[in-house]
Amino acid sequence: HVAANHSCANAMNVLLQSGCETTRGDCVGWTPLHLATHRLGQDVGGCRCKRCLKLHERRKQCVSILLQKGADANAEDQRRATAVHLAAAHDDLEALRLLRAHGANLWSEDADGQTPLRIARHLHRPSRVVRALLLLPGDVEFEHDPEQDPFDDEESMDADRPQQADDSGDDGDDW
């Protein structure tokens, strides 16, 4: 948990090779994958300096390592929230892509009946996650086709990312 929370990919690798579990939850049920996904979703303030880019890459590496080592992409905390719910809460399309590639259920409900889509719609306007989820075909178990898969449309997803807040009075409610 500590390695995941502090984005220490090397330490996480050593611990996992030593037999540490990827599925054990903390006092609220968060697994290392919950923690790593939460950290990946935390913005570095849009900073593109070398240090912040390296931190982001370490956070992404931690999520990848956990998933590659068998972490349950659908593990639920005590409130039945999964890592996908956290990715949606952070509007983190990158984390959502990783989780989806490892079999995460994009439509699960937490204890309050909230799906990742509802969470992203409520917290982010516009939202890259909302757009990707809404553009998925009805059957999410489709064969990979980049022309139909909104998770592969990086250019289109970046166009939805808010640049800067403005004071024009527009509440941005375009969803």
Side-chain angles (χ1 to χ4, degrees):
H1 283 89
V2 173
N5 195 36
H6 292 283
S7 307
C8 298
N10 292 335
M12 193 176 329
N13 256 329
V14 169
L15 290 166
L16 292 171
Q17 288 172 357
S18 300
C20 286
E21 294 180 33
T22 60
T23 56
R24 179 165 286 159
D26 63 11
C27 62
V28 294
W30 276 27
T31 65
L33 183 59
H34 281 92
L35 290 166
T37 302
H38 175 65
R39 288 293 181 211
L40 177 58
Q42 291 180 323
D43 193 2
V44 288
C47 183
R48 308 284 300 161
C49 76
K50 195 176 200 177
R51 182 180 162 274
C52 289
L53 290 174
K54 187 175 180 180
L55 175 61
H56 178 79
E57 204 48 46
R58 273 197 352 249
R59 289 173 173 173
K60 181 177 162 185
Q61 186 180 15
C62 286
V63 172
S64 289
I65 289 169
L66 286 164
L67 289 167
Q68 290 168 5
K69 299 288 184 176
D72 182 1
N74 293 306
E76 298 177 343
D77 68 9
Q78 291 176 355
R79 305 269 319 136
R80 292 187 22 225
T82 65
V84 174
H85 288 88
L86 296 173
H90 289 295
D91 197 33
D92 190 343
L93 189 61
E94 197 168 24
L96 205 61
R97 282 186 180 123
L98 288 169
L99 293 162
R100 178 174 178 250
H102 286 84
N105 179 355
L106 304 180
W107 309 105
S108 64
E109 292 184 359
D110 65 12
D112 297 320
Q114 298 295 309
T115 63
L117 176 61
R118 283 185 181 160
I119 290 169
R121 286 182 84 170
H122 177 73
L123 296 176
H124 303 283
R125 295 183 180 178
S127 169
R128 295 169 7 126
V129 166
V130 167
R131 184 169 188 274
L133 290 172
L134 289 176
L135 290 176
L136 279 174
D139 178 12
V140 294
E141 298 298 323
F142 61 93
E143 195 171 314
H144 183 74
D145 179 358
E147 291 186 23
Q148 291 186 353
D149 189 352
F151 288 89
D152 286 341
D153 189 0
E154 191 68 43
E155 188 176 302
S156 156
M157 293 297 113
D158 286 338
D160 289 341
R161 180 174 285 186
Q163 298 301 316
Q164 284 186 330
D166 65 19
D167 298 321
S168 67
D170 178 15
D171 67 356
D173 191 8
D174 56 354
W175 287 107

